Amino acid sequence: MTDKKTSVSRRSFLKGSLAAGAALSTPAFWIQGAYAGGHGFRNDPTNKATVTLGFNVPQTGPYADEGADELRAFKLAVKHLNGEGDGGMMQTMKPMNLKGNGILGKKVEFVTGDTQTKSDAARASAKRMIEKDGVIMFSGGSSSGVAVAVQALAQEMGTVFMAGLTHSNDTTGKDRRRYGFRHFFNAHMSGAALAPVLQAEYGDERQVYHLTADYNWGWSQESSIQEATAKQAKWNTVNAVRTPLGAGDFSQYITPVLNSGADTLVLNHYGKDMVNSLTQAVQFGLLDKQVNGKDFTVVVPLFSRLMAQGAGESIKGILGSTAWNWSLQDAGSQAFVKSFGQEYGFPPSQAAHTCYCQTLLYADAVERAGTFDPVQVIKALEDHEFSGMGNGDSIYRGADHQVFKNVLVVRGNQNPSSQFDLLEVVDIVDRDKVTYSPDLYAGELGPYKV
Amino acid sequence: MAKSTVTPRSDLTLFLGFTLVVLAMPIWLQPFGAAYPDLMQKFAIFGLFAIGFNILFGQTGYLSFGHAAFIGVGSYATVWVFKLMTMNVIPAIIFGTLVAGIFSLVIGFICLRRTGIYFSILTLALAQMSYNLAYSVLTPITQGETGLQLSTKDMRLLDGAVADGAGIPPTNFFGIEMGAWDGLFGFYFCAFFLIVGFYISIRITRSSFGSMLRGIKTNQTRMMYTGLNTRPYKLAAFVISGMYAGLAGCLMAAVDPLAGAERMQWTASGEVVLMTILGGIGTLVGPVIGAAVIKYAENIFSAIDKSVLVDLFSFLPDTLGTFIASVVSLFVGKGWHLTLGLLFMLVVIFLPGGIMEGVDRIKRRFFVKSRADSAE
């Protein structure tokens, strides 16, 4: 590596570059403060006329459908906060401190981002919202892996994250964070709600085969369902196979089920994956089989209407759990379904419901705290009891930032009366039955002040 | 960069100009809406990655489709040092780069037995294998899809345990947090490595080692007929470029302490190929420009949605404005890949030498013109 023609010596070269570096790093000092709001907290909107929220949802990838519906709900929530439209759940939620004039009198604006259902992309997108767009809170979801990753970022950056659809126990379990909040239910609750119904429906001592999405949420749901059904009805796991997220074709995973001696298939899949795996399972004739003297059966622990729509005929008669369904008759659900329907022409999904609620709950907490300071807002959300949002009396447990509310057990409707009437509510499981100790999935929330 | 005009002085000018432009990024990127720390860090990190990739691809002509694996390995190694030893980034970066170097030595040793498409496929296969290992098989080490994250319960032998109720300590450079100066410290930290990496790449390109690499690209068989064993040179280039990628992965983890498996996916490997081709294969600055263009598109275009466009075109008559907005909206937001694809096609068709060829053409036009002027 010799270069005899060099007329500039290394020494002068280094000197020159050092000088250039020093001269150019000066802007770093006067740009300081451009991103954070001085000494208070990050992105303090006090001196601005508006306040910005960030909505970070999967717009591409296996969860794109859920992401699109989440985004609709966020936009609707912003409308209602700003006093446009009919106000939706703002008429029914209790306690209710929102005035329809934005949050603390500031008009609500929003920015969106695409998580691509990838942790890196989601964090980059969230960072853009926080550093460039100056959001005071961000929300979104549809993958627990992503939710866990951005929740950790929320803690580092000191910006509140109101998780959207994320069902893994880890989100408010081992990976819980002070700046992260989850309104959606989780795998443990699914297991607790489903197990008695499954026992009543399919009896004891079944041989179960699990197909599981190979990531945080899948693992979490697999173990929760195994535990709950083993305890309740002595169901035994024959095999648990992990499938890659977004696999598309599941036939190679379903064929072995036929000869495994299992009489029950549990699909720990969600979104397009679940649509594909369930459709293929039905096409392979699993449901027509008899094994161990029992009718073969398929269970999808986490259901959503969007998936039911995608799976079409296959979903009929399949049992699962869901956080919320548009057919609920309480005032809160009705108000939300009505204004969502007027806006978009079809009923909202459970993902839309949780995102809508999260936005209102955050705004309400800011009003109650009287400030955007995240420390005060977090304290206002912790152990906050509310109702009128579609799931009965609910509480934001302070110990792990998980909402405890009623859980629905649903069945794919045999005779749907419309293209949206796909899930029949079998049971509304009371929140006390799905509540567990915060120490069950131990984790550290971390400090208030970061 | 025509060969005849290269002198040590022109290289110095190039280097100083590059340094200037990189360090002044927080200023001149303001109008583009890109002057926020995370994106500038990405520019620097992926710029470094592309420079390293170009040492292999641009100089020897060996097209590796698995370079993202080294990024991943660097990231995982770095986060493990954070977890076990200390939150100071220097030991972590040194360790991560070395691990990536060793890993690339192994991969390179296997893959360089073949040339051309076989080499590309081998690297792709090995990288995809590493990705799958990281994604599911090695979950205890990599945490699979969630990504390897820090926790308050980590050992951190040198730093000691955190106080009860305190958060995870931030990554730092001998006490200066990466997030200091509102995140700009993290950027300058990465920019330092980008500049050093750029300098090394100039030196390699101008060295006899560099000539040897270009000889391999031009006609490897002839090189071998002259009695020269090309393998050590190829392997060295492969390891150097693997270490660049590893360093980029380390920096990623240093400014954002998380390592995810998707960093190793083949799409990430393909991205750096695009960056290099877009900017200009074999040029010094090209890959950095390509990296910046792609990262800019990914982060800024993807965030523009229809309502922003409607605002933008509101000066036009209503129907026309909405129409244009709905057409343009196909190319932004979730359609940003489409824009990138078009741009890539245009560049490859009209400027096979990448953006740098465009710059060169413009330069030549002006240069020739001024010469003609002086002749008059």
Side-chain angles (χ1 to χ4, degrees), chain A residues 1-3 5-8 10 13 16-17 20-22 24-36 42 59-60 68 75 110 112-114 116-121 123-125 127-129 131-133 143-146 148-150 152-153 155-156 170 174-175 177 214-217 219 242-245 442-444 446-448, chain B residues 6 8-9 11-12 15-16 19-21 23-24 26-27 30 32-42 135-137 139 143-147 149-153 164-168 181-184 188 199-200 203-204 206-209 252 255-260 262-263 265 267 298-300 302-305 307 333-334 336-337:
Chain A
M1 290 224 330
T2 49
D3 194 343
K5 285 182 289 176
T6 310
S7 61
V8 187
R10 267 201 189 85
F13 191 96
S17 24
L24 276 153
S25 56
T26 36
F29 298 99
W30 55 260
I31 283 183
Q32 242 195 92
Y35 305 104
R42 194 185 282 273
Q59 299 179 22
T60 49
K75 288 179 180 167
F110 66 90
T112 63
D114 182 8
Q116 302 173 32
T117 318
K118 290 177 183 169
S119 308
D120 267 353
R123 273 170 82 108
S125 176
K127 274 193 163 180
R128 190 204 78 233
M129 292 174 174
E131 290 178 345
K132 173 168 173 272
D133 302 318
S143 158
S144 291
V146 168
V148 166
V150 294
L153 178 78
Q155 184 77 26
E156 283 163 30
D170 289 350
K174 105 178 151 45
D175 294 312
R177 291 285 184 273
D214 192 5
Y215 76 101
N216 188 304
W217 166 71
W219 313 330
R242 305 279 162 91
T243 63
L245 183 64
E444 286 272 346
Y448 284 98
Chain B
V6 169
R9 182 149 294 276
D11 275 351
L12 179 69
F15 175 75
L16 288 182
T19 310
L20 222 97
V21 169
L23 291 178
I27 302 166
Q30 295 273 7
F32 299 98
Y36 63 98
D38 184 56
L39 186 54
M40 293 193 296
Q41 285 161 10
K42 292 243 151 59
Y135 195 95
S136 49
V137 183
T139 307
Q143 294 298 309
E145 185 261 4
T146 311
Q149 297 193 24
L150 303 176
S151 139
T152 42
K153 295 198 185 65
D164 247 5
I168 298 163
W181 311 349
D182 293 318
L184 278 185
Y188 280 114
Y199 178 68
I200 294 174
R203 302 295 306 193
I204 289 179
R206 305 289 179 242
S207 67
S208 51
F209 173 69
M252 256 186 233
V255 292
D256 188 5
L258 171 128
E262 67 259 35
R263 258 171 221 183
Q265 219 175 350
T267 46
E298 181 181 335
N299 286 279
I300 304 295
S302 69
I304 302 173
D305 69 348
S307 58
K334 55 185 165 182
W336 67 270
H337 281 113

Side-chain angles (χ1 to χ4, degrees), chain B residues 313-314 316-326:
Chain B
F313 293 111
S314 57
L316 291 167
D318 227 20
T319 41
L320 184 65
T322 328
F323 175 71
I324 296 182
S326 49

Side-chain angles (χ1 to χ4, degrees), chain A residues 281-341:
Chain A
V282 173
Q283 277 168 358
F284 276 58
L286 284 181
L287 288 175
D288 309 325
K289 277 176 66 93
Q290 280 238 331
V291 183
N292 312 331
K294 292 168 180 153
D295 284 338
F296 197 96
T297 185
V298 178
V299 178
V300 181
L302 180 59
F303 246 177
S304 96
R305 199 208 75 237
L306 286 178
M307 285 154 36
Q309 236 162 293
E313 289 286 309
S314 312
I315 201 95
K316 287 186 176 172
I318 307 281
L319 277 173
S321 69
T322 189
W324 179 86
N325 192 37
W326 66 275
S327 63
L328 289 175
Q329 291 302 315
D330 63 287
S333 302
Q334 292 284 304
F336 176 51
V337 172
K338 182 165 159 263
S339 50
F340 193 95

Side-chain angles (χ1 to χ4, degrees), chain A residues 54-342:
Chain A
F55 303 135
N56 204 13
V57 302
Q59 299 179 22
T60 49
Y63 296 149
D65 289 347
E66 326 285 322
D69 218 42
E70 291 188 345
L71 207 51
R72 288 186 201 111
F74 282 130
K75 288 179 180 167
L76 188 68
V78 168
K79 257 189 149 175
H80 291 167
L81 286 175
N82 286 332
E84 298 161 32
D86 62 5
M89 271 189 195
M90 280 165 62
Q91 304 153 345
T92 60
M93 77 183 268
K94 285 185 200 110
M96 157 70 196
N97 302 283
L98 298 163
K99 298 173 192 72
N101 62 348
I103 307 176
L104 288 181
K106 292 181 196 302
K107 186 167 185 286
V108 182
E109 292 184 334
F110 66 90
V111 291
T112 63
D114 182 8
T115 67
Q116 302 173 32
T117 318
K118 290 177 183 169
S119 308
D120 267 353
R123 273 170 82 108
S125 176
K127 274 193 163 180
R128 190 204 78 233
M129 292 174 174
I130 296 167
E131 290 178 345
K132 173 168 173 272
D133 302 318
V135 300
I136 185 72
M137 172 281 263
F138 68 109
S139 180
S142 261
S143 158
S144 291
V146 168
V148 166
V150 294
Q151 185 167 272
L153 178 78
Q155 184 77 26
E156 283 163 30
M157 306 290 273
T159 305
V160 174
F161 171 60
M162 304 294 284
L165 193 151
T166 153
H167 186 245
S168 165
N169 294 332
D170 289 350
T171 314
T172 49
K174 105 178 151 45
D175 294 312
R176 66 181 76 152
R177 291 285 184 273
R178 184 68 68 187
Y179 279 75
F181 290 86
R182 172 164 67 180
H183 171 266
F184 205 66
F185 73 143
N186 62 26
H188 182 96
M189 298 184 197
S190 278
L194 265 177
V197 180
L198 291 176
Q199 185 188 28
E201 193 86 11
Y202 301 128
D204 289 340
E205 292 177 15
R206 278 197 166 249
Q207 303 300 317
V208 188
Y209 197 103
H210 282 264
L211 284 183
T212 304
D214 192 5
Y215 76 101
N216 188 304
W217 166 71
W219 313 330
S220 179
Q221 177 165 295
E222 181 189 291
S223 70
S224 284
I225 298 293
Q226 281 174 355
E227 255 168 54
T229 52
K231 215 171 107 192
Q232 181 81 28
K234 300 196 202 68
W235 285 19
N236 175 42
T237 304
V238 178
N239 201 355
V241 174
R242 305 279 162 91
T243 63
L245 183 64
D249 180 19
F250 289 90
S251 47
Q252 53 164 324
Y253 299 105
I254 291 171
T255 329
V257 179
L258 296 164
N259 305 315
S260 63
D263 50 37
T264 306
L265 174 65
V266 175
L267 292 174
N268 298 305
H269 291 148
Y270 195 71
K272 285 178 184 150
D273 280 1
M274 176 266 170
V275 170
N276 290 333
S277 64
L278 179 64
T279 312
Q280 285 174 347
V282 173
Q283 277 168 358
F284 276 58
L286 284 181
L287 288 175
D288 309 325
K289 277 176 66 93
Q290 280 238 331
V291 183
N292 312 331
K294 292 168 180 153
D295 284 338
F296 197 96
T297 185
V298 178
V299 178
V300 181
L302 180 59
F303 246 177
S304 96
R305 199 208 75 237
L306 286 178
M307 285 154 36
Q309 236 162 293
E313 289 286 309
S314 312
I315 201 95
K316 287 186 176 172
I318 307 281
L319 277 173
S321 69
T322 189
W324 179 86
N325 192 37
W326 66 275
S327 63
L328 289 175
Q329 291 302 315
D330 63 287
S333 302
Q334 292 284 304
F336 176 51
V337 172
K338 182 165 159 263
S339 50
F340 193 95
Q342 274 171 2

